[in-house]
Amino acid sequence: MAKAVRMADIAQRLGISTVSVSKGLAGKEGVSAEMRAKILATAEEMGYQPPARTNAHPGGESIGILVADRFFNENAFYSNLYRAVLKAATEQDISVLMEIVLPQAEKSCNMPTFLVNRKVDGLIFMGEISRRYLATAVQTGVPFMLLDFYDDAIAADCVLSDNTSGSYTMTEHLISTGRRNIGFVGSVLSTSSIMDRYLGYVKAMLRAGLPIRDDWRLEDRDDQGKFVPFSLPHEMPDAFVCNCDAVAYNLVEILKRNGYRVPQDVAVTGYDDYRYSTLCSPQLTSYRVDLDGMAKTVVAQLRRKMAHKPAIAPTVIVPGGFVRREST
């Protein structure tokens, strides 16, 4: 029987201390991101096996969910998506552990304890997370899925809302009501979902031969992905497509404070159809995301990968549905 690889063996190979190897494998501070990547790669090459994990759910499987703090802290959509995943997993007798990745942990690529100690059989990354953090996490070899985003630089299976088609539907609806000057609210470089929703808007506008003006695209987030106040353009369009209901709600409030009537003067559409769509006055026309469908799909796909079977498809797009209300 081959001798088990120890941390000391990895340390000797790399010419570093065993403590550094331990920190690198645990995702703790004290080693650089580059050295951590070398440690993880060398451990995999040498066949290092961490101590056997203790199942968080005796007799069953368990999955870990990682979500960046900026999404879970400010966006009720993700708390609802988490509940949907939890429900779908529980129905399959799978336990769930969740870690909210704080900004410093994301920046320094510190991995959660449940991943370092192999207490989960699979991982779900829920919402955008930094590419370095994602790359570091997947080097552990734990099967994983991306939920509600994708990364063109990393080959990964993912489950998405039908973002481009959904936003196209919303824009086409505004055009059908006679609006011709239509803006977009959303920082398109912030997430893959917002980018795809912007592309759906652009597609509908181009097909209708309508103008796409830079001053009618309003930024709603900073470089860290946090919501920021936005100002109305000097020359107003007669409608806005918003990347989510929370932003649409804020826009409606700003419009009303500035004396505009919704939808008589400016029509507004949202996206998600969760909470803000009915809290808003007037209630928002929105595109409903099938949270339960996304949750069931990602759990089923991840379970296949945990059983060492390929995902049914590398990218699964879950369709939603158009919901018309008073804001248009």
Side-chain angles (χ1 to χ4, degrees):
M1 180 180 295
K3 184 179 179 181
V5 176
R6 303 168 303 164
M7 288 188 189
D9 300 321
I10 299 172
Q12 185 176 8
R13 170 77 68 89
L14 294 173
I16 59 177
S17 69
T18 303
V19 172
S20 294
V21 172
S22 177
K23 289 181 177 179
L25 293 173
K28 294 181 179 179
E29 295 183 359
V31 295
S32 66
E34 292 75 17
M35 178 55 69
R36 182 177 296 116
K38 288 182 180 179
I39 292 169
L40 291 170
T42 303
E44 182 176 359
E45 177 189 341
M46 296 178 67
Y48 171 75
Q49 295 294 325
R53 69 177 184 85
T54 301
N55 227 322
H57 185 53
E61 298 167 311
S62 63
I63 59 177
I65 297 178
L66 294 173
V67 57
D69 176 68
R70 61 184 177 277
F71 291 120
F72 206 79
N73 186 40
E74 293 197 8
N75 198 327
F77 172 82
Y78 282 104
S79 62
N80 205 38
L81 182 57
Y82 165 69
R83 284 193 289 270
V85 173
L86 181 61
K87 180 175 180 289
T90 301
E91 290 173 352
Q92 298 293 319
D93 196 32
I94 301 173
S95 64
V96 177
L97 299 172
M98 187 179 75
E99 179 89 2
I100 297 175
V101 183
L102 299 176
Q104 184 55 44
E106 184 177 2
K107 182 178 179 181
S108 58
C109 295
N110 286 342
M111 297 295 106
T113 301
F114 67 62
L115 181 57
V116 173
N117 294 335
R118 296 295 183 104
K119 291 187 176 181
V120 293
D121 301 290
L123 276 178
I124 295 174
F125 295 91
M126 189 169 69
E128 264 349 271
I129 202 159
S130 78
R131 187 170 290 168
R132 285 180 64 247
Y133 188 94
L134 178 58
T136 302
V138 301
Q139 287 186 52
T140 62
V142 175
F144 70 97
M145 292 286 300
L146 309 185
L147 179 58
D148 197 47
F149 79 107
Y150 60 90
D151 191 314
D152 292 318
I154 296 177
D157 299 316
C158 54
V159 174
L160 307 168
S161 165
D162 197 359
N163 292 304
T164 304
S165 294
S167 188
Y168 178 90
T169 298
M170 304 308 296
T171 309
E172 193 175 51
H173 163 68
L174 289 172
I175 295 170
S176 73
T177 65
R179 272 79 176 192
R180 293 296 179 266
N181 301 314
I182 304 173
F184 182 88
V185 185
S187 298
V188 299
L189 298 179
S190 182
T191 71
S192 59
S193 294
I194 297 176
M195 172 66 80
D196 287 348
R197 292 171 192 179
Y198 178 68
L199 293 176
Y201 153 80
V202 169
K203 180 180 178 181
M205 296 292 282
L206 290 175
R207 282 195 168 178
L210 298 176
I212 301 168
R213 291 175 41 167
D214 288 341
D215 60 329
W216 287 349
R217 179 168 62 83
L218 309 184
E219 300 288 338
D220 69 335
R221 300 159 203 247
D222 62 17
D223 293 339
Q224 304 303 314
K226 295 183 178 180
F227 289 121
V228 295
F230 49 83
S231 301
L232 298 178
H234 178 70
E235 182 182 346
M236 285 287 289
D238 49 27
F240 280 102
V241 174
C242 297
N243 76 88
C244 70
D245 289 342
V247 168
Y249 175 91
N250 289 335
L251 175 60
V252 169
E253 293 301 305
I254 292 172
L255 288 169
K256 290 191 296 187
R257 286 199 298 269
N258 282 271
Y260 292 96
R261 298 171 300 162
V262 179
Q264 294 90 338
D265 300 326
V266 182
V268 177
T269 65
Y271 200 106
D272 295 336
D273 193 35
Y274 175 67
R275 185 175 294 178
Y276 286 101
S277 61
T278 53
L279 287 177
C280 188
S281 179
Q283 293 189 349
L284 292 169
T285 291
S286 189
Y287 188 83
R288 179 176 296 156
V289 175
D290 184 0
L291 295 180
D292 290 335
M294 292 176 66
K296 290 177 181 178
T297 300
V298 77
V299 170
Q301 293 280 67
L302 183 56
R303 198 171 195 188
R304 284 183 62 85
K305 299 182 73 170
M306 286 156 51
H308 305 291
K309 299 177 182 178
I312 295 173
T315 301
V316 179
I317 298 177
V318 180
F322 171 72
V323 182
R324 181 173 185 175
R325 297 193 180 93
E326 295 92 339
S327 68
T328 62

